[in-house]
Amino acid sequence: MDNRPIGVFDSGMGGLTTVREMAKQLPNESVVYFGDTGRVPYGGRSRDTILRYARQDVAFLRTFDLKAIVIACGTVSSTALAELSAEQEIPVFGVVGPTALRAAQVTRNNKIGLIATKATVRTGAYERVMRHANPMAETFSLACPLFVPLVENGRTQPGDVVIETVVRDYLSPIRDAGVDTLVLGCTHYPLLTEVIQNFMGPEVTLLDSGAEVVRQVRERLYASGHQAAENRRGTYRWFVSDTTESFTELASRFLGRPVTEPVGQVAIERY
Ligand code: DGL
């Protein structure tokens, strides 16, 4: 039994879709969330910058007594998981491994699509795991740089002509390739599930990387006896690097519930 919180971070708000999954699958666990809203997006940046930012994000989270860290960001997970894990003595979880494994298992026609940020696609991290787990798998990867700013600006609903046009433009080649499984390789994208599913068709399975990593965290916590006590409800603490003003409204959309807890601002460059 271990009631210490789990640290979760993302370049911005996207990681809150992972926290939403934690609330569902691990309701007893407490969370300290950091969103680097002052420096989002990470997805178009160099490897060195992403690594430097991620180290600062982790250094801030480590000011709390945590039992594990979840990198709720496809960009950081695909770029810096090995380094961050090696530097920490508590477990560090990334979204790539569990999501890529699941995709390799659930595909029926061995055609898997991946949509993510430029940085994630550049690393080839998803493809490596998918091909290793399923050598028959053919992968189709695509960077969708406009999705993150559109999601952060609330353009997520079916009927919104802007997001529907961008989805059609980006995803046509992947739909034409006949994939039966599509990995949402960026934690912002689950907010677009409805629009993407409408475009891809009901026969295509969409995988949410946040949901997959939380499943892995759950298994590990229970296997090692580090799960929180079952008679408690998890508590949540929120931190961002930009102004806290718009956080509550935007976060409510990502979390699917009103945010009532206080939000702190962090001078992340100091870490
Ligand atoms: N949420 C981040 C991810 O999963 C993407 C946002 C960004 O580009 O910073 O990759």
Side-chain angles (χ1 to χ4, degrees):
M1 206 79 83
D2 187 342
N3 288 338
R4 287 179 298 167
I6 297 172
V8 181
F9 75 97
D10 177 46
S11 57
M13 310 293 277
L16 294 173
T17 61
T18 307
V19 176
R20 185 178 64 191
E21 280 298 323
M22 291 182 77
K24 269 194 225 156
Q25 297 187 40
L26 291 166
N28 311 314
E29 301 294 340
S30 294
V31 169
V32 180
Y33 183 85
F34 174 66
D36 196 0
T37 52
R39 303 189 295 196
V40 68
Y42 286 8
R45 297 184 193 275
S46 70
R47 186 185 179 282
D48 287 353
T49 303
I50 294 168
L51 187 54
R52 180 164 67 82
Y53 286 0
R55 283 188 168 127
Q56 290 176 314
D57 302 343
V58 169
F60 165 68
L61 285 176
R62 290 307 309 268
T63 61
F64 297 86
D65 182 18
L66 305 174
K67 63 179 170 188
I69 290 178
V70 175
I71 308 172
C73 175
T75 304
V76 175
S77 300
S78 57
T79 306
L81 174 64
E83 285 88 344
L84 298 178
S85 296
E87 290 161 7
Q88 302 300 318
E89 81 292 352
I90 56 172
V92 179
F93 295 89
V95 293
V96 175
T99 315
L101 266 183
R102 171 77 52 177
Q105 288 160 356
V106 302
T107 179
R108 290 148 284 144
N109 70 358
N110 293 323
K111 291 186 180 186
I112 306 171
L114 163 72
I115 53 173
T117 64
K118 274 189 188 159
T120 297
V121 170
R122 182 178 64 210
T123 65
Y126 269 100
E127 288 89 336
R128 273 195 296 282
V129 181
M130 292 193 281
R131 292 229 189 85
H132 184 73
N134 177 355
M136 304 283 283
E138 222 183 320
T139 57
F140 303 84
S141 304
L142 198 73
C144 303
L146 288 176
F147 281 178
V148 168
L150 285 171
V151 168
E152 298 245 343
N153 283 285
R155 309 302 291 261
T156 59
Q157 291 306 307
D160 181 319
V161 65
V162 178
I163 190 62
E164 286 191 339
T165 306
V166 176
V167 163
R168 188 179 331 114
D169 193 54
Y170 277 149
L171 300 191
S172 289
I174 271 203
R175 189 177 69 173
D176 295 348
V179 304
D180 71 356
T181 305
L182 180 63
V183 173
L184 307 182
C186 166
T187 50
H188 281 71
Y189 299 177
L191 272 284
L192 299 174
T193 298
E194 232 181 315
V195 182
I196 293 174
Q197 190 83 66
N198 287 347
F199 179 74
M200 295 299 290
E203 67 289 348
V204 175
T205 305
L206 304 190
L207 292 181
D208 171 347
S209 58
E212 300 306 327
V213 73
V214 173
R215 210 165 282 142
Q216 185 188 49
V217 171
R218 186 172 198 285
E219 277 166 22
R220 297 271 180 89
L221 288 180
Y222 277 86
S224 62
H226 282 284
Q227 76 277 16
E230 290 192 354
N231 60 359
R232 73 193 286 277
R233 273 204 84 69
T235 59
Y236 295 83
R237 303 181 68 170
W238 312 112
F239 296 91
V240 290
S241 52
D242 198 16
T243 168
T244 58
E245 252 167 50
S246 51
F247 179 88
T248 309
E249 193 247 311
L250 201 52
S252 307
R253 216 179 309 139
F254 278 81
L255 285 169
R257 69 153 173 96
V259 173
T260 47
E261 303 87 358
V263 189
Q265 188 170 6
V266 179
I268 195 66
E269 289 287 2
R270 290 211 201 116
Y271 289 86

